[in-house]
mmCIF file of all heavy atoms in Angstrom:
data_model
loop_
_atom_site.group_PDB
_atom_site.id
_atom_site.type_symbol
_atom_site.label_atom_id
_atom_site.label_comp_id
_atom_site.label_asym_id
_atom_site.label_seq_id
_atom_site.Cartn_x
_atom_site.Cartn_y
_atom_site.Cartn_z
ATOM 1 N N GLU U 1424 50.407 -36.859 4.001
ATOM 2 C CA GLU U 1424 50.582 -35.811 4.991
ATOM 3 C C GLU U 1424 50.270 -34.440 4.418
ATOM 4 O O GLU U 1424 50.525 -34.184 3.235
ATOM 5 C CB GLU U 1424 52.034 -35.771 5.491
ATOM 6 C CG GLU U 1424 52.472 -36.943 6.317
ATOM 7 C CD GLU U 1424 53.936 -36.804 6.728
ATOM 8 O OE1 GLU U 1424 54.759 -36.420 5.882
ATOM 9 O OE2 GLU U 1424 54.241 -37.094 7.898
ATOM 10 N N ASP U 1425 49.754 -33.551 5.281
ATOM 11 C CA ASP U 1425 49.783 -32.149 4.912
ATOM 12 C C ASP U 1425 51.069 -31.554 5.488
ATOM 13 O O ASP U 1425 51.850 -32.240 6.152
ATOM 14 C CB ASP U 1425 48.528 -31.408 5.373
ATOM 15 C CG ASP U 1425 48.372 -31.355 6.889
ATOM 16 O OD1 ASP U 1425 49.378 -31.494 7.613
ATOM 17 O OD2 ASP U 1425 47.235 -31.158 7.348
ATOM 18 N N LEU U 1426 51.304 -30.275 5.243
ATOM 19 C CA LEU U 1426 52.583 -29.676 5.611
ATOM 20 C C LEU U 1426 52.797 -29.629 7.115
ATOM 21 O O LEU U 1426 53.887 -29.911 7.616
ATOM 22 C CB LEU U 1426 52.672 -28.275 5.012
ATOM 23 C CG LEU U 1426 52.718 -28.211 3.487
ATOM 24 C CD1 LEU U 1426 52.615 -26.767 3.026
ATOM 25 C CD2 LEU U 1426 53.990 -28.858 2.952
ATOM 26 N N SER U 1427 51.752 -29.267 7.862
ATOM 27 C CA SER U 1427 51.905 -29.183 9.305
ATOM 28 C C SER U 1427 52.157 -30.548 9.920
ATOM 29 O O SER U 1427 52.939 -30.677 10.873
ATOM 30 C CB SER U 1427 50.661 -28.538 9.930
ATOM 31 O OG SER U 1427 49.499 -29.295 9.644
ATOM 32 N N GLN U 1428 51.530 -31.587 9.383
ATOM 33 C CA GLN U 1428 51.779 -32.937 9.879
ATOM 34 C C GLN U 1428 53.209 -33.376 9.598
ATOM 35 O O GLN U 1428 53.857 -33.990 10.451
ATOM 36 C CB GLN U 1428 50.797 -33.920 9.230
ATOM 37 C CG GLN U 1428 49.360 -33.767 9.695
ATOM 38 C CD GLN U 1428 48.409 -34.640 8.894
ATOM 39 O OE1 GLN U 1428 48.653 -34.957 7.729
ATOM 40 N NE2 GLN U 1428 47.297 -35.021 9.512
ATOM 41 N N ALA U 1429 53.712 -33.058 8.411
ATOM 42 C CA ALA U 1429 55.081 -33.421 8.075
ATOM 43 C C ALA U 1429 56.074 -32.704 8.977
ATOM 44 O O ALA U 1429 57.049 -33.301 9.451
ATOM 45 C CB ALA U 1429 55.363 -33.102 6.610
ATOM 46 N N ALA U 1430 55.834 -31.417 9.231
ATOM 47 C CA ALA U 1430 56.741 -30.666 10.095
ATOM 48 C C ALA U 1430 56.704 -31.197 11.520
ATOM 49 O O ALA U 1430 57.751 -31.333 12.171
ATOM 50 C CB ALA U 1430 56.365 -29.180 10.071
ATOM 51 N N ALA U 1431 55.512 -31.511 12.015
ATOM 52 C CA ALA U 1431 55.395 -32.051 13.369
ATOM 53 C C ALA U 1431 56.076 -33.410 13.469
ATOM 54 O O ALA U 1431 56.718 -33.723 14.484
ATOM 55 C CB ALA U 1431 53.927 -32.154 13.760
ATOM 56 N N ARG U 1432 55.949 -34.239 12.444
ATOM 57 C CA ARG U 1432 56.609 -35.543 12.451
ATOM 58 C C ARG U 1432 58.123 -35.396 12.476
ATOM 59 O O ARG U 1432 58.830 -36.065 13.249
ATOM 60 C CB ARG U 1432 56.183 -36.364 11.224
ATOM 61 C CG ARG U 1432 56.970 -37.664 11.056
ATOM 62 C CD ARG U 1432 56.511 -38.439 9.845
ATOM 63 N NE ARG U 1432 56.570 -37.663 8.620
ATOM 64 C CZ ARG U 1432 57.695 -37.435 7.929
ATOM 65 N NH1 ARG U 1432 58.857 -37.910 8.356
ATOM 66 N NH2 ARG U 1432 57.658 -36.730 6.810
ATOM 67 N N GLU U 1433 58.654 -34.512 11.629
ATOM 68 C CA GLU U 1433 60.095 -34.308 11.604
ATOM 69 C C GLU U 1433 60.587 -33.763 12.945
ATOM 70 O O GLU U 1433 61.646 -34.152 13.433
ATOM 71 C CB GLU U 1433 60.475 -33.349 10.471
ATOM 72 C CG GLU U 1433 60.364 -33.941 9.074
ATOM 73 C CD GLU U 1433 61.440 -34.981 8.794
ATOM 74 O OE1 GLU U 1433 62.466 -34.986 9.508
ATOM 75 O OE2 GLU U 1433 61.257 -35.779 7.856
ATOM 76 N N LEU U 1434 59.813 -32.864 13.541
ATOM 77 C CA LEU U 1434 60.196 -32.312 14.831
ATOM 78 C C LEU U 1434 60.254 -33.405 15.892
ATOM 79 O O LEU U 1434 61.198 -33.460 16.694
ATOM 80 C CB LEU U 1434 59.199 -31.224 15.249
ATOM 81 C CG LEU U 1434 59.468 -30.548 16.594
ATOM 82 C CD1 LEU U 1434 60.756 -29.746 16.551
ATOM 83 C CD2 LEU U 1434 58.290 -29.655 16.984
ATOM 84 N N ALA U 1435 59.258 -34.281 15.900
ATOM 85 C CA ALA U 1435 59.243 -35.372 16.878
ATOM 86 C C ALA U 1435 60.406 -36.328 16.652
ATOM 87 O O ALA U 1435 61.038 -36.801 17.606
ATOM 88 C CB ALA U 1435 57.913 -36.120 16.794
ATOM 89 N N GLU U 1436 60.714 -36.621 15.380
ATOM 90 C CA GLU U 1436 61.809 -37.540 15.087
ATOM 91 C C GLU U 1436 63.161 -36.965 15.486
ATOM 92 O O GLU U 1436 64.046 -37.685 15.944
ATOM 93 C CB GLU U 1436 61.811 -37.885 13.591
ATOM 94 C CG GLU U 1436 60.631 -38.739 13.148
ATOM 95 C CD GLU U 1436 60.588 -38.965 11.647
ATOM 96 O OE1 GLU U 1436 61.459 -38.411 10.929
ATOM 97 O OE2 GLU U 1436 59.691 -39.690 11.187
ATOM 98 N N GLU U 1437 63.327 -35.660 15.312
ATOM 99 C CA GLU U 1437 64.624 -35.041 15.572
ATOM 100 C C GLU U 1437 64.815 -34.652 17.034
ATOM 101 O O GLU U 1437 65.945 -34.660 17.521
ATOM 102 C CB GLU U 1437 64.796 -33.794 14.689
ATOM 103 C CG GLU U 1437 64.809 -34.068 13.196
ATOM 104 C CD GLU U 1437 66.066 -34.771 12.728
ATOM 105 O OE1 GLU U 1437 67.006 -34.902 13.528
ATOM 106 O OE2 GLU U 1437 66.109 -35.192 11.556
ATOM 107 N N THR U 1438 63.740 -34.284 17.741
ATOM 108 C CA THR U 1438 63.881 -33.746 19.096
ATOM 109 C C THR U 1438 63.055 -34.482 20.143
ATOM 110 O O THR U 1438 63.275 -34.290 21.340
ATOM 111 C CB THR U 1438 63.471 -32.264 19.133
ATOM 112 O OG1 THR U 1438 62.058 -32.161 18.887
ATOM 113 C CG2 THR U 1438 64.230 -31.450 18.099
ATOM 114 N N GLY U 1439 62.096 -35.304 19.719
ATOM 115 C CA GLY U 1439 61.201 -35.934 20.663
ATOM 116 C C GLY U 1439 60.125 -35.017 21.194
ATOM 117 O O GLY U 1439 59.404 -35.374 22.132
ATOM 118 N N LEU U 1440 59.976 -33.830 20.612
ATOM 119 C CA LEU U 1440 58.997 -32.849 21.073
ATOM 120 C C LEU U 1440 57.701 -32.943 20.289
ATOM 121 O O LEU U 1440 57.702 -33.233 19.089
ATOM 122 C CB LEU U 1440 59.560 -31.435 20.938
ATOM 123 C CG LEU U 1440 60.738 -31.070 21.833
ATOM 124 C CD1 LEU U 1440 61.277 -29.709 21.419
ATOM 125 C CD2 LEU U 1440 60.316 -31.052 23.289
ATOM 126 N N CYS U 1441 56.610 -32.669 20.965
ATOM 127 C CA CYS U 1441 55.324 -32.523 20.302
ATOM 128 C C CYS U 1441 55.129 -31.055 19.947
ATOM 129 O O CYS U 1441 55.593 -30.166 20.660
ATOM 130 C CB CYS U 1441 54.184 -33.000 21.205
ATOM 131 S SG CYS U 1441 54.239 -34.749 21.605
ATOM 132 N N ALA U 1442 54.444 -30.810 18.863
ATOM 133 C CA ALA U 1442 54.196 -29.441 18.420
ATOM 134 C C ALA U 1442 52.899 -28.943 19.019
ATOM 135 O O ALA U 1442 51.876 -29.637 19.015
ATOM 136 C CB ALA U 1442 54.128 -29.373 16.902
ATOM 137 N N HIS U 1443 52.928 -27.714 19.550
ATOM 138 C CA HIS U 1443 51.734 -27.065 20.061
ATOM 139 C C HIS U 1443 51.148 -26.173 18.983
ATOM 140 O O HIS U 1443 51.793 -25.834 18.005
ATOM 141 C CB HIS U 1443 52.063 -26.226 21.299
ATOM 142 C CG HIS U 1443 52.355 -27.047 22.512
ATOM 143 N ND1 HIS U 1443 51.377 -27.541 23.336
ATOM 144 C CD2 HIS U 1443 53.530 -27.474 23.032
ATOM 145 C CE1 HIS U 1443 51.919 -28.235 24.318
ATOM 146 N NE2 HIS U 1443 53.230 -28.207 24.159
ATOM 147 N N ASP U 1444 49.917 -25.775 19.209
ATOM 148 C CA ASP U 1444 49.246 -24.847 18.306
ATOM 149 C C ASP U 1444 50.079 -23.577 18.174
ATOM 150 O O ASP U 1444 50.570 -23.029 19.161
ATOM 151 C CB ASP U 1444 47.859 -24.501 18.845
ATOM 152 C CG ASP U 1444 47.044 -23.701 17.837
ATOM 153 O OD1 ASP U 1444 47.379 -22.523 17.603
ATOM 154 O OD2 ASP U 1444 46.074 -24.253 17.316
ATOM 155 N N ALA U 1445 50.225 -23.083 16.938
ATOM 156 C CA ALA U 1445 51.081 -21.927 16.677
ATOM 157 C C ALA U 1445 50.591 -20.661 17.364
ATOM 158 O O ALA U 1445 51.370 -19.724 17.574
ATOM 159 C CB ALA U 1445 51.183 -21.680 15.168
ATOM 160 N N SER U 1446 49.324 -20.612 17.732
ATOM 161 C CA SER U 1446 48.787 -19.408 18.359
ATOM 162 C C SER U 1446 48.980 -19.383 19.873
ATOM 163 O O SER U 1446 48.635 -18.404 20.518
ATOM 164 C CB SER U 1446 47.292 -19.279 18.052
ATOM 165 O OG SER U 1446 46.576 -20.365 18.623
ATOM 166 N N VAL U 1447 49.554 -20.467 20.425
ATOM 167 C CA VAL U 1447 49.724 -20.571 21.872
ATOM 168 C C VAL U 1447 51.180 -20.841 22.188
ATOM 169 O O VAL U 1447 51.795 -21.710 21.567
ATOM 170 C CB VAL U 1447 48.853 -21.705 22.450
ATOM 171 C CG1 VAL U 1447 49.016 -21.802 23.963
ATOM 172 C CG2 VAL U 1447 47.400 -21.499 22.076
ATOM 173 N N PRO U 1448 51.786 -20.106 23.144
ATOM 174 C CA PRO U 1448 53.162 -20.395 23.529
ATOM 175 C C PRO U 1448 53.300 -21.821 24.024
ATOM 176 O O PRO U 1448 52.375 -22.412 24.570
ATOM 177 C CB PRO U 1448 53.427 -19.390 24.666
ATOM 178 C CG PRO U 1448 52.450 -18.294 24.429
ATOM 179 C CD PRO U 1448 51.231 -18.946 23.855
ATOM 180 N N ALA U 1449 54.501 -22.398 23.808
ATOM 181 C CA ALA U 1449 54.725 -23.797 24.169
ATOM 182 C C ALA U 1449 54.607 -23.994 25.667
ATOM 183 O O ALA U 1449 54.994 -23.150 26.456
ATOM 184 C CB ALA U 1449 56.102 -24.234 23.682
ATOM 185 N N GLN U 1450 54.069 -25.138 26.054
ATOM 186 C CA GLN U 1450 53.964 -25.489 27.453
ATOM 187 C C GLN U 1450 54.481 -26.921 27.625
ATOM 188 O O GLN U 1450 54.469 -27.725 26.700
ATOM 189 C CB GLN U 1450 52.504 -25.417 27.933
ATOM 190 C CG GLN U 1450 51.877 -24.037 27.793
ATOM 191 C CD GLN U 1450 52.466 -23.024 28.765
ATOM 192 O OE1 GLN U 1450 52.936 -23.383 29.829
ATOM 193 N NE2 GLN U 1450 52.462 -21.762 28.388
ATOM 194 N N ASP U 1451 54.913 -27.219 28.862
ATOM 195 C CA ASP U 1451 55.384 -28.558 29.202
ATOM 196 C C ASP U 1451 56.495 -28.985 28.242
ATOM 197 O O ASP U 1451 57.303 -28.188 27.839
ATOM 198 C CB ASP U 1451 54.217 -29.547 29.199
ATOM 199 C CG ASP U 1451 53.099 -29.112 30.157
ATOM 200 O OD1 ASP U 1451 53.425 -28.566 31.229
ATOM 201 O OD2 ASP U 1451 51.928 -29.287 29.803
ATOM 202 N N ASN U 1452 56.507 -30.277 27.877
ATOM 203 C CA ASN U 1452 57.567 -30.791 27.021
ATOM 204 C C ASN U 1452 57.148 -30.670 25.562
ATOM 205 O O ASN U 1452 56.909 -31.659 24.874
ATOM 206 C CB ASN U 1452 57.863 -32.259 27.375
ATOM 207 C CG ASN U 1452 59.057 -32.793 26.586
ATOM 208 O OD1 ASN U 1452 59.990 -32.053 26.305
ATOM 209 N ND2 ASN U 1452 59.016 -34.062 26.229
ATOM 210 N N GLY U 1453 57.020 -29.450 25.090
ATOM 211 C CA GLY U 1453 56.566 -29.240 23.734
ATOM 212 C C GLY U 1453 57.262 -28.068 23.096
ATOM 213 O O GLY U 1453 58.140 -27.445 23.682
ATOM 214 N N ALA U 1454 56.868 -27.758 21.878
ATOM 215 C CA ALA U 1454 57.515 -26.691 21.128
ATOM 216 C C ALA U 1454 56.479 -25.889 20.371
ATOM 217 O O ALA U 1454 55.475 -26.424 19.887
ATOM 218 C CB ALA U 1454 58.541 -27.262 20.157
ATOM 219 N N HIS U 1455 56.723 -24.601 20.284
ATOM 220 C CA HIS U 1455 55.951 -23.736 19.397
ATOM 221 C C HIS U 1455 56.410 -24.023 17.974
ATOM 222 O O HIS U 1455 57.606 -24.044 17.681
ATOM 223 C CB HIS U 1455 56.214 -22.273 19.761
ATOM 224 C CG HIS U 1455 55.660 -21.307 18.768
ATOM 225 N ND1 HIS U 1455 54.409 -20.735 18.892
ATOM 226 C CD2 HIS U 1455 56.183 -20.817 17.618
ATOM 227 C CE1 HIS U 1455 54.193 -19.926 17.866
ATOM 228 N NE2 HIS U 1455 55.252 -19.958 17.084
ATOM 229 N N LEU U 1456 55.481 -24.264 17.076
ATOM 230 C CA LEU U 1456 55.808 -24.584 15.685
ATOM 231 C C LEU U 1456 54.937 -23.753 14.772
ATOM 232 O O LEU U 1456 53.713 -23.743 14.901
ATOM 233 C CB LEU U 1456 55.582 -26.074 15.417
ATOM 234 C CG LEU U 1456 55.930 -26.588 14.011
ATOM 235 C CD1 LEU U 1456 57.429 -26.501 13.756
ATOM 236 C CD2 LEU U 1456 55.451 -28.025 13.831
ATOM 237 N N GLU U 1457 55.573 -23.035 13.843
ATOM 238 C CA GLU U 1457 54.829 -22.227 12.889
ATOM 239 C C GLU U 1457 55.533 -22.250 11.540
ATOM 240 O O GLU U 1457 56.740 -22.474 11.440
ATOM 241 C CB GLU U 1457 54.696 -20.785 13.369
ATOM 242 C CG GLU U 1457 56.008 -20.021 13.443
ATOM 243 C CD GLU U 1457 55.808 -18.576 13.870
ATOM 244 O OE1 GLU U 1457 55.441 -18.332 15.042
ATOM 245 O OE2 GLU U 1457 56.037 -17.689 13.012
ATOM 246 N N GLN U 1458 54.741 -22.039 10.483
ATOM 247 C CA GLN U 1458 55.305 -22.001 9.139
ATOM 248 C C GLN U 1458 56.103 -20.719 8.961
ATOM 249 O O GLN U 1458 55.669 -19.632 9.359
ATOM 250 C CB GLN U 1458 54.184 -22.098 8.106
ATOM 251 C CG GLN U 1458 54.683 -22.388 6.697
ATOM 252 C CD GLN U 1458 53.539 -22.680 5.733
ATOM 253 O OE1 GLN U 1458 53.386 -22.026 4.706
ATOM 254 N NE2 GLN U 1458 52.725 -23.675 6.084
ATOM 255 N N LEU U 1459 57.278 -20.845 8.372
ATOM 256 C CA LEU U 1459 58.190 -19.721 8.219
ATOM 257 C C LEU U 1459 58.110 -19.103 6.831
ATOM 258 O O LEU U 1459 57.741 -17.942 6.669
ATOM 259 C CB LEU U 1459 59.620 -20.179 8.518
ATOM 260 C CG LEU U 1459 60.746 -19.159 8.280
ATOM 261 C CD1 LEU U 1459 60.567 -17.944 9.182
ATOM 262 C CD2 LEU U 1459 62.114 -19.809 8.498
ATOM 263 N N ALA U 1460 58.479 -19.845 5.809
ATOM 264 C CA ALA U 1460 58.506 -19.328 4.438
ATOM 265 C C ALA U 1460 58.676 -20.500 3.481
ATOM 266 O O ALA U 1460 58.974 -21.630 3.897
ATOM 267 C CB ALA U 1460 59.638 -18.312 4.248
ATOM 268 N N THR U 1461 58.508 -20.227 2.195
ATOM 269 C CA THR U 1461 58.655 -21.238 1.159
ATOM 270 C C THR U 1461 59.845 -20.878 0.276
ATOM 271 O O THR U 1461 60.022 -19.717 -0.102
ATOM 272 C CB THR U 1461 57.379 -21.342 0.307
ATOM 273 O OG1 THR U 1461 56.273 -21.638 1.164
ATOM 274 C CG2 THR U 1461 57.505 -22.438 -0.739
ATOM 275 N N TYR U 1462 60.639 -21.886 -0.075
ATOM 276 C CA TYR U 1462 61.866 -21.683 -0.848
ATOM 277 C C TYR U 1462 61.804 -22.591 -2.075
ATOM 278 O O TYR U 1462 61.665 -23.807 -1.946
ATOM 279 C CB TYR U 1462 63.093 -21.998 0.010
ATOM 280 C CG TYR U 1462 63.158 -21.128 1.247
ATOM 281 C CD1 TYR U 1462 62.432 -21.462 2.395
ATOM 282 C CD2 TYR U 1462 63.886 -19.947 1.257
ATOM 283 C CE1 TYR U 1462 62.451 -20.643 3.522
ATOM 284 C CE2 TYR U 1462 63.920 -19.126 2.378
ATOM 285 C CZ TYR U 1462 63.196 -19.481 3.507
ATOM 286 O OH TYR U 1462 63.214 -18.668 4.614
ATOM 287 N N GLY U 1463 61.899 -21.984 -3.257
ATOM 288 C CA GLY U 1463 61.667 -22.747 -4.471
ATOM 289 C C GLY U 1463 62.630 -22.482 -5.602
ATOM 290 O O GLY U 1463 62.263 -22.667 -6.768
ATOM 291 N N ASP U 1464 63.847 -22.030 -5.298
ATOM 292 C CA ASP U 1464 64.828 -21.850 -6.373
ATOM 293 C C ASP U 1464 64.998 -23.171 -7.121
ATOM 294 O O ASP U 1464 65.226 -24.215 -6.505
ATOM 295 C CB ASP U 1464 66.172 -21.407 -5.773
ATOM 296 C CG ASP U 1464 67.173 -20.982 -6.850
ATOM 297 O OD1 ASP U 1464 67.386 -21.765 -7.807
ATOM 298 O OD2 ASP U 1464 67.737 -19.890 -6.735
ATOM 299 N N PRO U 1465 64.881 -23.157 -8.461
ATOM 300 C CA PRO U 1465 64.970 -24.414 -9.216
ATOM 301 C C PRO U 1465 66.273 -25.177 -8.991
ATOM 302 O O PRO U 1465 66.311 -26.400 -9.186
ATOM 303 C CB PRO U 1465 64.848 -23.957 -10.677
ATOM 304 C CG PRO U 1465 64.122 -22.661 -10.603
ATOM 305 C CD PRO U 1465 64.576 -22.008 -9.342
ATOM 306 N N LYS U 1466 67.329 -24.490 -8.576
ATOM 307 C CA LYS U 1466 68.624 -25.148 -8.419
ATOM 308 C C LYS U 1466 68.999 -25.366 -6.954
ATOM 309 O O LYS U 1466 70.152 -25.673 -6.657
ATOM 310 C CB LYS U 1466 69.705 -24.313 -9.112
ATOM 311 C CG LYS U 1466 69.504 -24.172 -10.612
ATOM 312 C CD LYS U 1466 70.607 -23.342 -11.253
ATOM 313 C CE LYS U 1466 70.401 -23.208 -12.753
ATOM 314 N NZ LYS U 1466 71.474 -22.390 -13.387
ATOM 315 N N ARG U 1467 68.049 -25.236 -6.042
ATOM 316 C CA ARG U 1467 68.385 -25.346 -4.622
ATOM 317 C C ARG U 1467 68.750 -26.774 -4.218
ATOM 318 O O ARG U 1467 69.407 -26.976 -3.206
ATOM 319 C CB ARG U 1467 67.252 -24.816 -3.750
ATOM 320 C CG ARG U 1467 65.938 -25.578 -3.834
ATOM 321 C CD ARG U 1467 64.893 -24.983 -2.889
ATOM 322 N NE ARG U 1467 65.374 -24.966 -1.527
ATOM 323 C CZ ARG U 1467 65.251 -25.992 -0.698
ATOM 324 N NH1 ARG U 1467 64.684 -27.121 -1.113
ATOM 325 N NH2 ARG U 1467 65.702 -25.908 0.533
ATOM 326 N N ASP U 1468 68.286 -27.768 -4.971
ATOM 327 C CA ASP U 1468 68.605 -29.170 -4.688
ATOM 328 C C ASP U 1468 69.095 -29.815 -5.971
ATOM 329 O O ASP U 1468 68.384 -29.806 -6.982
ATOM 330 C CB ASP U 1468 67.359 -29.894 -4.168
ATOM 331 C CG ASP U 1468 67.669 -31.264 -3.585
ATOM 332 O OD1 ASP U 1468 68.495 -31.994 -4.167
ATOM 333 O OD2 ASP U 1468 67.088 -31.613 -2.536
ATOM 334 N N PRO U 1469 70.321 -30.358 -5.976
ATOM 335 C CA PRO U 1469 70.862 -30.926 -7.214
ATOM 336 C C PRO U 1469 70.181 -32.220 -7.647
ATOM 337 O O PRO U 1469 70.387 -32.665 -8.777
ATOM 338 C CB PRO U 1469 72.342 -31.174 -6.873
ATOM 339 C CG PRO U 1469 72.376 -31.320 -5.390
ATOM 340 C CD PRO U 1469 71.301 -30.400 -4.875
ATOM 341 N N ARG U 1470 69.367 -32.827 -6.815
ATOM 342 C CA ARG U 1470 68.736 -34.098 -7.183
ATOM 343 C C ARG U 1470 67.588 -33.910 -8.165
ATOM 344 O O ARG U 1470 67.442 -34.659 -9.124
ATOM 345 C CB ARG U 1470 68.219 -34.805 -5.915
ATOM 346 C CG ARG U 1470 69.313 -35.300 -4.990
ATOM 347 C CD ARG U 1470 68.761 -35.749 -3.645
ATOM 348 N NE ARG U 1470 68.220 -34.618 -2.875
ATOM 349 C CZ ARG U 1470 67.830 -34.714 -1.611
ATOM 350 N NH1 ARG U 1470 67.895 -35.869 -0.979
ATOM 351 N NH2 ARG U 1470 67.373 -33.646 -0.973
ATOM 352 N N MET U 1471 66.750 -32.901 -7.880
ATOM 353 C CA MET U 1471 65.579 -32.649 -8.702
ATOM 354 C C MET U 1471 64.972 -31.328 -8.242
ATOM 355 O O MET U 1471 65.508 -30.678 -7.342
ATOM 356 C CB MET U 1471 64.541 -33.776 -8.548
ATOM 357 C CG MET U 1471 64.011 -33.928 -7.125
ATOM 358 S SD MET U 1471 62.768 -35.234 -6.939
ATOM 359 C CE MET U 1471 61.437 -34.581 -7.936
#
Side-chain angles (χ1 to χ4, degrees):
E1424 291 179 317
D1425 64 22
L1426 294 172
S1427 60
Q1428 290 173 332
R1432 172 180 55 79
E1433 287 289 341
L1434 180 66
E1436 291 175 357
E1437 297 289 351
T1438 67
L1440 293 172
C1441 296
H1443 288 276
D1444 188 290
S1446 64
V1447 181
Q1450 300 290 332
D1451 303 324
N1452 185 34
H1455 170 93
L1456 182 66
E1457 66 178 69
Q1458 193 172 124
L1459 174 62
T1461 303
Y1462 301 83
D1464 189 309
K1466 297 180 180 180
R1467 64 178 303 274
D1468 192 319
R1470 292 169 293 188
M1471 61 179 295

